[in-house]
Amino acid sequence: EVISFSKVDYEGVCLPHDDPVVVTLMVELFTMKRFLIDSGSSANILYKHAFDQLRIPIDQRKPMKTPLVGFAGEMVHPLGSINLSVVAGTAPRQTQVQMTFLVVV
């Protein structure tokens, strides 16, 4: 379903507005309260600390050798990638998708 915002939602927001959005989502049956959605990013990042709290066996991470490169040219080497189930919304208006996350320190 379409997620949309009304004029009331824009109260106090300076337009044009392209800041990231922070939402609460369920990831592998755990509630993540500060899930940052940045439409300008080309990767889904999961920090190792959050990965550890999900208690997913480390052998489910797939190795990855390609580094991530930031805007300033800095490189981060992911610990691996993992596919996780993500649920947005509440029943009956709910959707579930599989997302690939890069696990980083």
Side-chain angles (χ1 to χ4, degrees):
E1 288 191 44
V2 174
I3 297 174
S4 62
F5 299 93
S6 69
K7 290 184 179 190
V8 173
D9 296 309
Y10 286 108
E11 231 172 76
V13 175
C14 296
L15 297 175
H17 176 64
D18 63 354
D19 293 340
V21 177
V22 178
V23 296
T24 298
L25 297 175
M26 292 285 289
V27 177
E28 293 295 320
L29 302 179
F30 286 87
T31 301
M32 287 196 175
K33 293 185 179 180
R34 291 179 291 182
F35 201 98
L36 173 72
I37 299 175
D38 181 356
S39 61
S41 178
S42 60
N44 300 317
I45 305 296
L46 180 65
Y47 287 99
K48 184 181 180 307
H49 178 72
F51 175 81
D52 292 342
Q53 289 180 327
L54 292 173
R55 297 188 183 114
I56 297 170
I58 197 166
D59 63 351
Q60 288 190 23
R61 272 192 340 219
K62 297 175 188 163
M64 183 173 180
K65 296 190 187 260
T66 308
L68 296 173
V69 180
F71 292 112
E74 73 279 8
M75 284 202 276
V76 174
H77 295 277
L79 301 173
S81 68
I82 187 158
N83 292 325
L84 299 176
S85 172
V86 177
V87 177
T90 55
R93 297 179 181 263
Q94 188 176 64
T95 188
Q96 181 175 357
V97 296
Q98 288 293 118
M99 293 178 65
T100 300
F101 291 88
L102 304 180
V103 182
V104 299
V105 176

